[in-house]
């Protein structure tokens, strides 16, 4: 049985490797987890002994097939817990990440499957992140772009907000920017700000925040809106 700390390392390696497409260095993992490099090295040795990572000196680590399956199980737990907390326990979507982090290590596969069934097997969590199914396969995703790359005058629907921290999520929640919300891009400044029109009025978002937001043309979201409507009815 893996400890919660081991699972955190595996999930972190998966996240970093997925974003970069490259093997994960000790220093990158240490920065991500806010621990020291010697602490990381010690844990990587344990994960290597369990066959969960492949480690090459000076080239970083990558998850083995077994390690990737563990990562996907943890991600399934986490994202279903976020959906459960939001939809059934009335948590705010911007506040569920830390709670799910604490709970993800302590739920069984049976409980996870029951949560999924109670929620109607949602394809995404409250932030728009895809949820692996019971076979640990991700649902098909439609093409998106980052809000920072959208054109002025374009009307888009927010599809996903890539999690960076509760501060960023709370900022967007206060600005009225969340998954399934439609926005009109008013202005894209050469440096620094992206201004959008929301139901609450215009909001100017720093470019680093706009880079976290994945959007699709509003017309391309009709099928998903119909799915959401059916689930609510």
């Amino acid at each position: 049985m893996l400890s919660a700390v081991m699972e955190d390392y595996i999930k972190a390696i998966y996240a970093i490797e997925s974003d970069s497409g490259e093997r994960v260095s000790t220093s990158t993992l240490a920065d991500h987890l806010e621990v020291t490099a010697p602490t990381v090295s010690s844990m990587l040795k344990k994960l290597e002994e369990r066959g969960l990572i492949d480690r090459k000196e000076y080239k970083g680590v990558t998850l083995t097939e077994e390690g990737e399956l563990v990562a996907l199980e943890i991600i399934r737990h986490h994202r279903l817990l976020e959906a459960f907390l939001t939809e059934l326990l009335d948590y705010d979507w911007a506040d569920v990440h830390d709670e799910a982090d604490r709970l993800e290590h302590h739920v069984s596969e049976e409980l996870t499957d029951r949560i999924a069934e109670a929620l109607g097997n949602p394809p995404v969590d409250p932030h728009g992140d895809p949820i692996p199914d019971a076979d640990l396969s991700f649902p098909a995703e439609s093409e998106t772009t980052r809000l920072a790359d959208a054109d002025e005058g374009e009307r888009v629907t927010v599809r996903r907000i890539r999690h960076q921290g509760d501060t960023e999520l709370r900022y967007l929640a206060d600005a009225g920017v969340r998954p399934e919300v439609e926005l009109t891009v008013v202005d894209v400044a050469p440096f620094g700000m992206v201004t959008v029109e929301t139901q609450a009025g215009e909001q100017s978002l720093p470019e680093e925040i706009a880079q976290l937001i994945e959007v699709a043309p509003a017309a391309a979201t009709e099928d998903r809106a119909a799915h959401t409507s059916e689930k609510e009815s």
Side-chain angles (χ1 to χ4, degrees):
M1 183 175 179
L2 299 179
S3 69
V5 175
M6 286 180 173
E7 292 184 347
D8 284 339
Y9 270 77
I10 291 170
K11 187 171 71 169
I13 293 169
Y14 182 91
I16 297 168
E17 193 171 12
S18 296
D19 286 342
S20 68
E22 300 176 352
R23 298 174 73 95
V24 181
S25 69
T26 298
S27 60
T28 299
L29 193 54
D31 290 342
H32 184 90
L33 293 170
E34 299 182 345
V35 297
T36 65
T39 298
V40 170
S41 295
S42 176
M43 178 56 71
L44 292 181
K45 182 179 179 180
K46 295 177 182 178
L47 295 176
E48 184 179 27
E49 290 172 349
R50 288 174 174 254
L52 299 171
I53 63 169
D54 174 72
R55 182 166 61 156
K56 297 187 184 300
E57 192 171 7
Y58 307 120
K59 293 185 178 180
V61 302
T62 186
L63 293 175
T64 62
E65 183 176 347
E66 183 180 355
E68 185 171 340
L69 288 175
V70 172
L72 291 172
E73 286 178 358
I74 300 166
I75 290 168
R76 175 170 163 81
H77 292 177
H78 181 97
R79 293 178 180 174
L80 281 170
L81 284 166
E82 288 189 331
F84 176 78
L85 291 168
T86 302
E87 295 189 28
L88 298 184
L89 297 187
D90 204 29
Y91 276 68
D92 190 282
W93 71 279
D95 297 330
V96 294
H97 180 75
D98 287 346
E99 195 71 59
D101 262 348
R102 288 186 286 269
L103 294 170
E104 67 189 16
H105 308 293
H106 308 292
V107 291
S108 66
E109 293 306 311
E110 180 180 358
L111 178 56
T112 302
D113 290 343
R114 290 194 177 199
I115 289 173
E117 184 177 357
L119 295 172
N121 293 299
V124 297
D125 73 6
H127 309 116
D129 292 318
I131 300 175
D133 62 20
D135 295 325
L136 301 182
S137 298
F138 282 111
E141 294 185 70
S142 57
E143 186 174 349
T144 60
T145 188
R146 301 297 175 105
L147 179 61
D149 299 324
D151 296 326
E152 292 180 9
E154 187 175 1
R155 187 156 185 81
V156 298
T157 298
V158 177
R159 297 295 299 271
R160 183 178 187 182
I161 297 175
R162 291 186 174 270
H163 181 74
Q164 296 293 316
D166 288 345
T167 301
E168 290 87 350
L169 292 179
R170 176 51 56 196
Y171 176 91
L172 290 171
D174 291 343
V177 178
R178 58 181 298 163
E180 305 305 334
V181 166
E182 290 193 2
L183 309 171
T184 299
V185 181
V186 176
D187 181 65
V188 180
F191 302 99
M193 303 296 286
V194 177
T195 302
V196 297
E197 179 73 30
T198 72
Q199 290 184 343
E202 288 192 3
Q203 299 285 346
S204 292
L205 307 174
E207 184 179 8
E208 60 267 25
I209 296 292
Q211 285 288 354
L212 305 179
I213 304 169
E214 294 185 11
V215 299
T221 66
E222 291 178 356
D223 290 342
R224 189 172 182 184
H227 171 80
T228 302
S229 178
E230 288 176 5
K231 187 174 72 171
E232 289 177 350
S233 63

